[in-house]
Amino acid sequence: MSEITFVNNLYILRNDHISYILAVLPGGFLAHVHAGARLDSVNMDNLLRHAGLPAAADFTPKEGGLEWLPQAYPSFGLGDLREGALTVIAGDGTRAVDLRFVDAQVEDGKPALPGLPATFGDACKTLTVRLRDAHTGLEAMLYFTIFDDCDAVTRSARLVNAGDAPLTVTRAMSFCLDLPDHGYDLVTLSGGWARERAVVRRPLVPGEQGVSTRSGASSLQTSPFLALARPEVTEHAGEVYGLSLLYSGNFAATASVYQHGGTRALIGINDRDFAWRLEPGEAFQTPEAALVWSSEGLNGMSRAFHRLWNKHLLPQRWVNERRPILLNSWEAAYFDFDEEKLVSIAAAAKEAGAELFVMDDGWFGHRDDDFSSLGDWVPDPKKLPAGLGRLGERVRALGLQFGIWMEPEMVSPDSDLYRAHPEWAMQIPGREAVLGRHQLILDMSRADVQDFVIESVSRTLRDSGATYLKWDMNRNFSNIGSTALPPERQGELPHRYILGLYRTLDVLTKAFPDVLFEGCASGGGRFDAGMLYYTPQIWCSDDTDALCRCEIQYGTTLAFPPSTMGSHVSAVPNHQTARVTPMQARFAAALGGQFGYELDPRKLTDDDRAAMSAQTDYVRRTFETRMNGDFYRLLSPFEGNDTAWMTVNADRTEAVVTVIRSRSLPNTFPPLVRLAGLDPDAAYTVEETGERFTGRELMALGLCCPLPAGDAASLVYTLKA
Ligand code: DGJ
């Protein structure tokens, strides 16, 4: 259970495991006191003394006091030299903001955030603190929510111009976490196309450090997440904070160490190239950010995130439903197909146990390559002479569901849409357009563009009867300008784009509640908790090579549950790396996420086709444990030659363990993998070998995994209590 109390000027938010504590100091300064292990009270003077400040009763910001004070929502320019959470340009051109406490209220549950994805649910309590800057009239409503059933606190801020002159917000972060020391490693996720979300861990050093993007999306290069882990933290033990932003656009996540030794972590919209004008009476809502805390290492942090997203973020319609095993046409056919070819691939897929056939890119306009037709969402009569309806029917007649690909936010210069509406593309009039993958980006900040997208997607879903939509997005922002915004509002475009995207997704997912939406952006280029509010799964990477997938999926699970990762078995040689790995390794890797295929089943050997049937049976049988169980990373591909992870179901009666060895090494021991999350007193049988062990032995000593010889050797073990 959670509760929020106000005692001795302290707001204490707590549940059975964690507390988050704020103090209202004389003068109305809102201090951040504690986040972490559950505490029922705190001696504020002790903390102030640690920060070199006088006791609470005598607190004054004079003499640079704010530079020392841990704060809930700090700004820059009144003595605190650290990065602030908020910068506002006032009517007189000055930038300092001095927010002081006005009042606060506590409510059950949590309010929705207008226009933005956010965690939801009744099992939580929310504190709203109102602060005010007397000079400008700016008010900040800070929302803090603590959950009954998750070791998480979420925050966001709503800025209201209650003054009488326009203001410009140039920085409005979602979460600020001031910690009293800097004895932490910073853990972030970084990479690029086909190499998304590699784990990067380094000690904090004095200065500012972190990750950010201005690509327009949460990006291929990094992820709106950071963790602060004590240096001794392992996957299984030690104290870790995790911060994640529920946002799909430009963000910054930083952890800065300042002269007195403390750490300030900030996460929110990237303030570079951001400016939002607030007329009197207008409000600006920041995205939500979530903080989790665990004393059980990085796995503990991840489980806290997984639980929070599963229970309070993902569309609940899909959380408990077994999702269909899909076969996607992209690597099977690319742009080269017609109705007959697709139906024959689908028939072979059905025979091998697939449940959903997805037609990827290339079905509309005259799209035989990626140079044209985005925006013209009408079937290519050459490829689909009887339209989407007949293809959908023929696929369904095979006993499969039908799914379809779209890239709704884009327009090709060679398209009827662009010829009719050149003003709908993001652009700076008078400047040459910079293309990405030969395409332009639709200006999703415009309501008419959003309505066009809603109408095109709705028509496509209706005409095809599709029950699955892959929503792709394949380029970075450039020429960032909108023909619909006045000059003083052009700095709002990247955020307005994301708000437009969210509105569009909101309308569509409500209008088609039974359609499974899968997010995608050149693979995992927009894999974030904002998108997951609408699309319960996201294509994790265009890289389907089994060994690369070990790294990509291992990293992704730091912040997101396995059930959110689209993960497919593809053909060999792999289309991204040219590597040949055994079918079993590709299966073992893909089992770690929402399972599917990305190949032409007609071209497989008989052995591989038989393997496919056995694989799909196994996927169905173990779905609940793999996708809804507790997930544990066991051996990291970033630290050694072996990758291992496992999931355990809720009552600890079934577990699935996956081990993959990258390079075959002669004359070495097979891995003895220490398992986790089992019932120590239960006896488990390994289904594949018939051997029996106690949970205690498997966790203390480990399970010997005699991998076959050869590179990319793998084993999948099923444990039954
Ligand atoms: C990028 C995606 O990540 C791929 O899976 C595929 O859908 C292509 N786009 C199609 O253009």
Side-chain angles (χ1 to χ4, degrees), residues 36-58:
R38 180 182 157 121
L39 292 176
D40 295 336
S41 69
V42 161
N43 179 338
M44 188 61 204
D45 290 345
N46 178 45
L47 265 182
L48 290 173
R49 198 177 317 118
H50 167 260
L53 292 166
D58 302 320

Side-chain angles (χ1 to χ4, degrees), residues 330 360-361 405 437 470 472 474 520 522-523 539 542:
W330 182 238
D360 208 279
D361 196 353
W405 175 99
R437 207 193 186 199
K470 179 173 170 188
D472 205 348
N474 285 310
C520 177
S522 307
W539 180 227
D542 273 350

Side-chain angles (χ1 to χ4, degrees), residues 315 318 461 471 502-517 533-536:
W318 298 103
L461 289 173
W471 183 296
Y502 288 155
R503 177 191 160 239
T504 306
L505 285 167
D506 193 50
V507 171
L508 285 167
T509 50
K510 282 183 176 137
F512 296 92
D514 294 329
V515 172
L516 172 61
F517 285 73
Y533 178 81
Y534 307 99
T535 67

Side-chain angles (χ1 to χ4, degrees), residues 3-162:
E3 60 176 345
I4 299 179
T5 54
F6 183 59
V7 189
N8 295 333
N9 292 322
L10 296 178
Y11 283 100
I12 303 178
L13 295 76
R14 69 193 146 194
N15 65 21
D16 294 341
H17 302 120
I18 63 166
S19 292
Y20 188 90
I21 305 179
L22 302 162
V24 183
L25 296 180
F29 295 96
L30 190 65
H32 167 76
V33 178
H34 172 72
R38 180 182 157 121
L39 292 176
D40 295 336
S41 69
V42 161
N43 179 338
M44 188 61 204
D45 290 345
N46 178 45
L47 265 182
L48 290 173
R49 198 177 317 118
H50 167 260
L53 292 166
D58 302 320
F59 180 77
T60 154
K62 295 256 165 56
E63 298 300 338
L66 290 180
E67 160 103 51
W68 304 72
L69 185 70
Q71 293 168 70
Y73 205 60
S75 60
F76 173 79
L78 291 169
D80 186 349
L81 297 178
R82 297 169 291 183
E83 280 287 336
L86 180 68
T87 307
V88 175
I89 305 177
D92 61 7
T94 61
R95 287 148 197 264
V97 186
D98 188 1
L99 291 171
R100 307 288 182 102
F101 182 86
V102 179
D103 55 24
Q105 66 173 52
V106 173
E107 63 190 293
D108 290 336
K110 76 191 288 283
L113 299 190
L116 285 162
T119 53
F120 50 75
D122 299 328
C124 56
K125 299 216 164 30
T126 300
L127 168 72
T128 305
V129 180
R130 185 150 63 111
L131 307 173
R132 188 160 201 278
D133 174 43
H135 186 69
T136 56
L138 178 78
E139 285 192 356
M141 317 289 285
L142 306 185
Y143 303 106
F144 302 84
T145 298
I146 183 144
F147 295 83
D148 294 358
D149 50 0
C150 293
D151 293 343
V153 170
T154 58
R155 284 187 59 176
S156 73
R158 183 172 180 77
L159 307 172
V160 182
N161 184 352

